[in-house]
């Protein structure tokens, strides 16, 4: 079973793509952002710790995020394979994930990057704000999230590229076409 990561700037459509890709490979899509939103909805202690960071577009502290992910990866459905969405977002989190996988005697197979031009990202997020009412889809918060992506998350892409496991797919255009391209690229990489 595949152990995959999907990466891409906020608004690149990675959450939607993650769901479709994960279904194709029969693995759970695990989104740290979605896990946080569930905690917020359920008014848990973790949710109340995270909400202030999320609403201002900042990262939730690494130790909080990593502990939450570790718990999720221990669930039975993630034992052999998973598609991570939204983690790792910092170079520190790369190390934390490496440790979690080493404990399970597993390795990461492919990191898929969805690319899209900035104008398209902003337009998509403003549209999503209207459709889904996400409280972190306002323009100043979006700008902050894009900035953090550039400063903190691009280095994660560089690191995976140096490991030779990074695949990039054009994430602009029709949802179905992007899903097909992404699955074909992943299958090619997994077969190697
Ligand atoms: P997302 O749904 O992936 O855009 O995540 C929404 C928000 O959750 C982010 O803006 C962060 O506040 C928080 N978050 C999600 N994943 C992480 C992570 N790996 N590290 C820190 N904060 C995160």
């Amino acid at each position: 079973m595949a152990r995959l990561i999907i990466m891409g700037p906020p608004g690149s459509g990675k959450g939607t793509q993650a769901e479709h890709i994960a279904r194709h490979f029969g693995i759970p899509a695990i989104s740290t952002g979605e896990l946080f939103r569930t905690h917020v909805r359920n008014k848990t202690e973790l949710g109340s710790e995270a909400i202030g960071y999320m609403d201002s577009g900042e990262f939730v502290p690494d130790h909080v995020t990593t502990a939450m992910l570790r718990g999720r990866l221990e669930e039975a459905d993630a034992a052999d394979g998973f598609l991570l969405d939204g983690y790792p977002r910092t170079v520190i989190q790369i190390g934390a994930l490496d440790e979690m996988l080493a404990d399970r005697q597993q390795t990461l197979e492919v990191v898929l990057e969805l690319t899209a031009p900035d104008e398209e990202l902003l337009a998509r997020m403003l549209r999503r704000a209207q459709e889904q009412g996400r409280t972190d889809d306002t323009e100043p918060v979006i700008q902050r999230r894009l900035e953090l992506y550039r400063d903190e998350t691009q280095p994660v892409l560089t690191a995976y590229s140096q490991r030779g496991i990074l695949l990039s797919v054009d994430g602009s255009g029709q949802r179905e076409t992007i899903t097909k391209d992404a699955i074909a690229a992943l299958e090619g990489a997994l077969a190697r």
Side-chain angles (χ1 to χ4, degrees):
M1 269 209 204
R3 285 174 301 277
L4 313 172
I5 298 180
I6 186 165
M7 295 185 62
S12 60
K14 73 184 161 55
T16 309
Q17 293 299 335
E19 293 294 334
H20 287 90
I21 294 167
R23 196 171 313 131
H24 175 86
F25 287 100
I27 51 179
I30 299 178
S31 154
T32 43
E34 224 20 78
L35 291 174
F36 280 129
R37 283 187 286 280
T38 302
H39 276 282
V40 170
R41 265 198 305 276
N42 295 338
K43 301 196 178 352
T44 68
E45 202 172 310
L46 183 70
S48 63
E49 199 172 345
I51 191 165
Y53 297 102
M54 295 171 76
D55 280 351
S56 48
E58 300 298 328
F59 289 159
V60 178
D62 282 334
H63 67 278
V64 177
T65 311
T66 298
M68 178 180 71
L69 178 66
R70 187 186 298 274
R72 177 63 185 86
L73 286 178
E74 280 166 5
E75 289 177 33
D77 65 337
D80 298 319
F82 47 78
L83 172 61
L84 291 185
D85 162 10
Y87 191 101
R89 260 178 159 88
T90 63
V91 168
I92 298 281
Q93 291 180 4
I94 297 181
L97 179 62
D98 284 343
E99 271 176 37
M100 280 182 245
L101 291 177
D103 288 348
R104 301 153 62 107
Q105 273 131 33
Q106 290 179 339
T107 54
L108 211 53
E109 284 159 303
V110 187
V111 178
L112 175 77
E113 175 195 20
L114 286 184
T115 58
D118 269 4
E119 318 81 74
E120 190 164 334
L121 300 175
L122 192 63
R124 276 195 202 170
M125 276 189 284
L126 292 172
R127 205 180 322 129
R128 184 171 71 185
Q130 289 185 330
E131 289 166 4
Q132 301 179 3
R134 261 180 66 162
T135 48
D136 57 350
D137 278 341
T138 60
E139 190 150 359
V141 175
I142 290 170
Q143 293 296 2
R144 177 61 182 148
R145 287 160 61 211
L146 286 169
E147 181 182 281
L148 273 179
Y149 188 80
R150 228 176 14 243
D151 296 349
E152 301 286 340
T153 309
Q154 287 287 353
V156 174
L157 290 168
T158 306
Y160 285 135
S161 164
Q162 283 163 357
R163 284 190 197 182
I165 57 170
L166 184 70
L167 258 185
S168 291
V169 166
D170 183 355
S172 53
Q174 287 295 317
R175 202 281 298 159
E176 292 81 1
T177 316
I178 303 163
T179 304
K180 246 176 51 213
D181 291 351
I183 290 173
L186 284 168
E187 284 185 332
L190 289 168
R192 253 178 259 136

